[in-house]
Amino acid sequence: MLDVLEQDVMYVPGVGPKKKELLSRELNIQTFGDLLEYYPYKYVDRSRIYQSNELSADMPFVQLKGKILSFEQFEMGPRKKRVVAHFYDGHGPVVDLVWFAGTHYVMKNYQVQTEYIVFGKPTVYGGRYQIAHPEIEKVSELQLDTMGMQPYYVTTEKMKNAGFTSRTVEKIVNNLLERLTQPLPETLPPFITERLHLVSRDTAFRHVHYPHNASEMQAARLRLKFEELFYVQLNILRYASDHRRKYRGFIFSQIGTFFNGFYYDHLPFALTNAQKRVVREIRQDVGSGRQMNRLLQGDVGSGKTLVALLSMLIALDNGYQACIMAPTEILAEQHLATLRKFVGDMDIHIELLTGVVKGKRRQAVLDGLLDGSVHILVGTHAIIEDGVMFQRLGLAVIDEQHRFGVAQRAKLWNKSTNPPHILVMTATPIPRTLAMTIYGDLDVSVIDELPPGRKPVQTIHRYDNQLGSLYESIRRQIRVGRQAYIVFPLIQESEKSDLKNLEEGFEALKDVFAEFRLSKVHGKMKPKDKEEEMQRFLAGETQILVATTVIEVGVNVPNASVMVILDAQRFGLSQLHQLRGRVGRGADQSYCILVTNHKLSKETSRRIDIMCDTNDGFEIAEADLKLRGPGDLEGTQQSGIAFDLKIADIARDGQIVQLARDEAQKIIDDDPTCEKQTYAMLWNRLATLRKTNINWAAIS
């Protein structure tokens, strides 16, 4: 019976080869199981019949029962007609049913004086109620008492053009359910379903497609959401458990001259309580005998780099080397400058390895890594190239890790006899439910405190017809010695039209700010040219940096106090927050100005309002998750975890995520080696799921 859901969807009554091809190409539905897991996106209550005297124009969908009194046809140009059927239910005004397409079908198939059920959205036109393109069924062909809530399915444009509507999907799902006469086999054991009061898998599938009422629908969706999230969490926790058992970590038992010398003589400012707490957590990890895999979250400017340096100094005190890997050359060079400034005249050799480090300079770095004279290596993905070998790599720090794929991160493990301790850092705050899923096998530390003396950035919304006054305010800031960023929305570096806008915008801004010097940076520039422009801005030789989102991460210019983001409606919340983080890094009041046009959607307006209302990165991340969904958030596609969830919603199902994780943790605690017969159903099911085309890879 298990194999029944693997049968070809072509054999569902009403499908056949042509519809199978369309389902496969447009929706990736190839089997009975795929069809059952193509869930409705909404439901409409079909159990109630309205009367025409109850209608109002603001009603969503209604169902009327009556007869067509007559038809009228109106010419609408060459070979185009509008058909109007005058429909009467005996209780109120006549309702006009209107078709602008498919009129030949309407005239051929619907008859006057036949009793129909009409379903659609009422509107008012010319003082009369009308329903455009209604669904119509003969009363004799509908079982109203069993219809309950009608499911609605997403269909693509190509499907609609082929006459494959939501109703078509509904009918073939119904045909499949009627064909499945035996109950579907369970995939969760009774000790879970009974304790959590979950309906059976068979009931869940039947009721999610054809619920008689809202409570049936909710119970079905709860069961299916829980199961989906439970197996994701079980997979993550099983991987983490295996990893902990298989890989012993280097034991860093010493806190010696490197750490203490820096802490007491070179620490630039007192650590915040949050930084102290995180350093304690890291010290506990690296001294425990197990390999550290820790995620360090901290908002922009919270001091993650300093915590990373302290962690690397512990490695040095124990005779090991450390590295920090950044996603861009700009960020890597920024880290190099920051670390060298921090350690000052200490006897610590820090080197850089990126794509621009070549020839003798590169060879000297590689030799230093092998003989141990290079203590800390800062670099890009160049660090994980095959020719780069360390004498004794003990700690790897990965900054903005969502920009590195799983395979890239795993290559770091081959740089050492044992896998090095891993500290993953991100300035992109991650909502808790998302962190449990993307980074479920990592311990999480949070720096939720900014260093003292930082003033919150003031965020202001302006429209693009207010640029004159905006530019004047930038002039005032520059005249008192400050600098400014002006960002253009070149979000994908391949968008030629945007690149043209940036180039033209730069020329226009040079005229506007003729009395100042401007720099320009975008991803299409040669690294050397880009670096020169960045250094000019950093040194204060230019007052305005015109850029794309290439400056989103890691650019640290404390003197810059103004961030102007043009066409801000084109950016996501997290990206806007990252860009805003480029200012407010000094002691002066800083400003972020979001410039948009007047035509904003409700969602975009909400995004802009959130940015103006709060500087809290976690609050912004939660809002971004709810507005955009996890698959749209930058980095989640590379994170190495399954995001093709079919019914669960990480943003809205936080409680179910937690429940699923708690249940999965109980299983792992009781059966860490996955051998107990009690849980055989779960391990077999997980093995089956891992063979599917879903990305079930665990993260490193």
Side-chain angles (χ1 to χ4, degrees):
M1 187 60 195
L2 254 178
D3 293 335
V4 70
L5 296 186
E6 295 172 18
Q7 290 185 35
D8 195 318
V9 73
M10 179 172 75
Y11 300 113
V12 174
V15 179
K18 281 191 175 178
K19 285 182 180 170
K20 179 252 170 92
E21 187 187 342
L22 199 60
L23 284 168
S24 176
R25 189 176 66 243
E26 294 297 301
L27 304 177
N28 199 27
I29 292 175
Q30 296 170 31
T31 65
F32 286 11
D34 293 338
L35 183 58
L36 281 187
E37 290 183 345
Y38 193 67
Y39 301 112
Y41 73 95
K42 72 172 183 178
Y43 303 85
V44 173
D45 187 356
R46 293 296 300 267
S47 60
R48 179 176 175 187
I49 301 288
Y50 285 82
Q51 296 180 356
S52 56
N53 56 13
E54 297 177 283
L55 295 183
S56 66
D58 58 358
M59 295 174 92
F61 289 91
V62 296
Q63 203 164 224
L64 302 172
K65 180 180 175 183
K67 295 178 179 178
I68 294 174
L69 302 179
S70 61
F71 286 97
E72 280 188 274
Q73 296 187 56
F74 301 90
E75 297 295 332
M76 294 179 64
R79 292 180 292 179
K80 275 197 167 186
K81 289 183 179 179
R82 172 168 59 99
V83 168
V84 178
H86 304 297
F87 183 84
Y88 183 60
D89 69 350
H91 297 286
V94 169
V95 176
D96 291 340
L97 312 179
V98 185
W99 291 268
F100 301 95
T103 53
H104 178 72
Y105 177 90
V106 170
M107 297 304 295
K108 182 181 175 183
N109 288 277
Y110 302 142
Q111 291 89 37
V112 296
Q113 297 306 319
T114 300
E115 198 167 31
Y116 292 105
I117 298 290
V118 169
F119 178 77
K121 181 170 184 3
T123 56
V124 175
Y125 180 77
R128 292 166 68 104
Y129 282 108
Q130 69 171 28
I131 299 175
H133 290 271
E135 288 183 25
I136 296 188
E137 303 274 357
K138 287 183 180 177
V139 170
S140 58
E141 294 174 359
L142 277 182
Q143 294 176 290
L144 287 173
D145 55 335
T146 61
M147 277 196 73
M149 303 179 74
Q150 183 177 346
Y152 276 74
Y153 302 85
V154 172
T155 53
T156 67
E157 207 58 44
K158 285 183 180 175
M159 291 174 73
K160 291 187 180 89
N161 291 341
F164 206 125
T165 63
S166 168
R167 195 62 188 272
T168 315
V169 177
E170 180 193 342
K171 284 176 179 174
I172 63 172
V173 170
N174 187 44
N175 292 344
L176 173 57
L177 290 171
E178 285 182 353
R179 176 168 174 168
L180 299 174
T181 54
Q182 298 298 313
L184 294 169
E186 255 308 339
T187 44
L188 290 174
F191 63 80
I192 290 181
T193 55
E194 289 172 9
R195 188 173 70 254
L196 300 182
H197 307 291
L198 299 173
V199 299
S200 73
R201 184 171 180 238
D202 185 78
T203 299
F205 272 128
R206 294 180 191 279
H207 285 178
V208 80
H209 291 288
Y210 283 99
H212 294 99
N213 50 54
S215 63
E216 269 189 8
M217 178 264 290
Q218 287 161 0
R221 290 178 71 82
L222 173 62
R223 156 61 202 248
L224 295 166
K225 285 180 178 187
F226 173 84
E227 178 173 341
E228 190 168 51
L229 292 167
F230 171 77
Y231 279 108
V232 169
Q233 293 296 339
L234 188 65
N235 186 54
I236 293 167
L237 295 172
R238 178 203 58 80
Y239 166 80
S241 174
D242 283 354
H243 185 88
R244 278 193 287 269
R245 280 185 298 106
K246 286 177 185 172
Y247 298 106
R248 305 304 297 164
F250 298 120
I251 298 177
F252 295 170
S253 56
Q254 302 295 315
I255 300 295
T257 54
F258 285 114
F259 185 94
N260 288 326
F262 175 78
Y263 192 86
Y264 292 109
D265 299 330
H266 291 77
L267 196 67
F269 44 77
L271 298 181
T272 64
N273 288 329
Q275 285 173 311
K276 289 177 183 175
R277 183 186 67 244
V278 172
V279 171
R280 279 197 302 271
E281 290 168 350
I282 291 169
R283 282 183 62 177
Q284 193 171 356
D285 279 356
V286 297
S288 68
R290 69 180 181 88
Q291 186 214 9
M292 175 174 75
N293 270 293
R294 185 165 287 277
L295 170 68
L296 174 55
Q297 292 191 69
D299 219 336
V300 174
S302 60
K304 296 183 300 300
T305 307
L306 185 55
V307 168
L309 174 59
L310 289 166
S311 307
M312 291 190 279
L313 294 177
I314 297 173
L316 269 56
D317 275 332
N318 287 271
Y320 291 90
Q321 295 161 293
C323 71
I324 179 165
M325 191 164 77
T328 65
E329 288 175 355
I330 287 177
L331 184 50
E333 287 165 0
Q334 190 92 47
H335 277 316
L336 179 73
T338 302
L339 294 179
R340 283 180 172 170
K341 184 178 176 184
F342 275 151
V343 301
D345 59 1
M346 291 181 72
D347 187 20
I348 297 175
H349 187 185
I350 306 173
E351 277 295 349
L352 178 73
L353 191 65
T354 67
V356 297
V357 178
K358 293 178 179 171
K360 289 182 180 178
R361 184 182 166 203
R362 183 183 184 86
Q363 192 57 51
V365 173
L366 297 179
D367 292 344
L369 290 174
L370 265 180
D371 65 26
S373 60
V374 171
H375 299 115
I376 296 173
L377 181 66
V378 181
T380 56
H381 60 275
I383 291 177
I384 57 177
E385 289 172 4
D386 292 339
V388 182
M389 296 305 294
F390 293 76
Q391 184 190 68
R392 214 177 181 208
L393 179 63
L395 171 68
V397 179
I398 305 172
D399 196 15
E400 292 304 329
Q401 73 84 45
H402 60 274
R403 300 183 176 219
F404 295 103
V406 178
Q408 287 177 304
R409 297 199 301 273
K411 282 186 179 180
L412 275 169
W413 290 21
N414 300 322
K415 305 293 180 186
S416 186
T417 50
N418 271 14
H421 294 295
I422 301 287
L423 179 64
V424 164
M425 300 197 303
T426 180
T428 307
I430 303 151
R432 190 167 157 276
T433 52
L434 201 55
M436 275 194 289
T437 306
I438 304 181
Y439 309 112
D441 67 330
L442 295 170
D443 298 310
V444 179
S445 292
V446 178
I447 302 180
D448 50 8
E449 195 178 350
L450 288 179
R454 289 276 178 92
K455 292 180 181 175
V457 178
Q458 190 176 334
T459 306
I460 303 157
H461 178 209
R462 291 287 180 265
Y463 292 107
D464 49 16
N465 61 354
Q466 299 172 301
L467 285 176
S469 60
L470 171 58
Y471 291 156
E472 191 52 46
S473 64
I474 293 174
R475 273 193 192 87
R476 286 196 294 271
Q477 285 287 308
I478 295 174
R479 282 174 186 148
V480 296
R482 304 285 161 251
Q483 290 166 279
Y485 298 95
I486 299 179
V487 175
F488 280 77
L490 179 53
I491 295 170
Q492 298 295 330
E493 294 292 349
S494 60
E495 291 179 31
K496 290 181 181 175
S497 60
D498 278 350
L499 190 56
K500 186 181 174 188
N501 289 345
L502 173 80
E503 300 287 3
E504 290 175 352
F506 180 69
E507 294 303 319
L509 287 168
K510 282 203 297 189
D511 292 337
V512 171
F513 296 106
E515 70 270 43
F516 302 125
R517 294 184 299 279
L518 281 68
S519 289
K520 174 181 66 179
V521 173
H522 59 78
K524 287 289 183 185
M525 293 170 69
K526 291 178 181 176
K528 184 171 175 286
D529 296 340
K530 194 162 52 180
E531 180 58 23
E532 280 178 7
E533 290 295 288
M534 290 297 307
Q535 289 301 329
R536 288 177 66 212
F537 186 65
L538 183 59
E541 294 170 15
T542 55
Q543 288 77 45
I544 298 172
L545 178 61
V546 180
T548 65
T549 55
V550 74
I551 63 155
E552 174 190 351
V553 171
V555 177
N556 183 14
V557 183
N559 192 50
S561 63
V562 182
M563 167 64 70
V564 177
I565 305 172
L566 301 174
D567 287 325
Q569 72 274 7
R570 292 182 57 188
F571 296 84
L573 265 175
S574 290
Q575 201 166 32
L576 289 172
H577 182 61
Q578 285 291 315
L579 287 167
R580 175 168 63 183
R582 297 308 105 213
V583 294
R585 304 177 81 85
D588 298 291
Q589 178 63 58
S590 292
Y591 305 89
C592 177
I593 296 97
L594 308 176
V595 181
T596 72
N597 56 34
H598 281 272
K599 294 178 182 177
L600 299 181
S601 68
K602 187 184 286 186
E603 182 184 309
T604 305
S605 294
R606 173 84 184 116
R607 225 166 39 227
I608 300 297
D609 289 346
I610 290 166
M611 284 297 298
C612 293
D613 291 345
T614 183
N615 282 290
D616 185 320
F618 287 95
E619 192 178 322
I620 286 166
E622 290 284 359
D624 207 19
L625 182 62
K626 285 178 179 159
L627 284 170
R628 296 204 289 162
D632 294 328
L633 297 182
E634 186 175 11
T636 58
Q637 298 299 343
Q638 290 192 73
S639 64
I641 199 64
F643 263 105
D644 30 13
L645 297 176
K646 294 183 177 176
I647 191 166
D649 182 331
I650 298 287
R652 293 170 179 81
D653 295 326
Q655 286 183 310
I656 307 176
V657 173
Q658 186 65 61
L659 180 65
R661 188 172 180 83
D662 291 346
E663 290 298 319
Q665 189 66 61
K666 287 176 192 172
I667 309 297
I668 295 295
D669 290 345
D670 193 44
D671 187 16
T673 56
C674 312
E675 293 172 336
K676 287 190 178 179
Q677 192 58 36
T678 313
Y679 307 114
M681 172 192 281
L682 300 177
W683 303 129
N684 291 336
R685 177 64 176 163
L686 188 58
T688 302
L689 289 169
R690 289 174 65 85
K691 289 174 188 169
T692 66
N693 60 359
I694 297 175
N695 175 15
W696 280 83
I699 75 168
S700 61

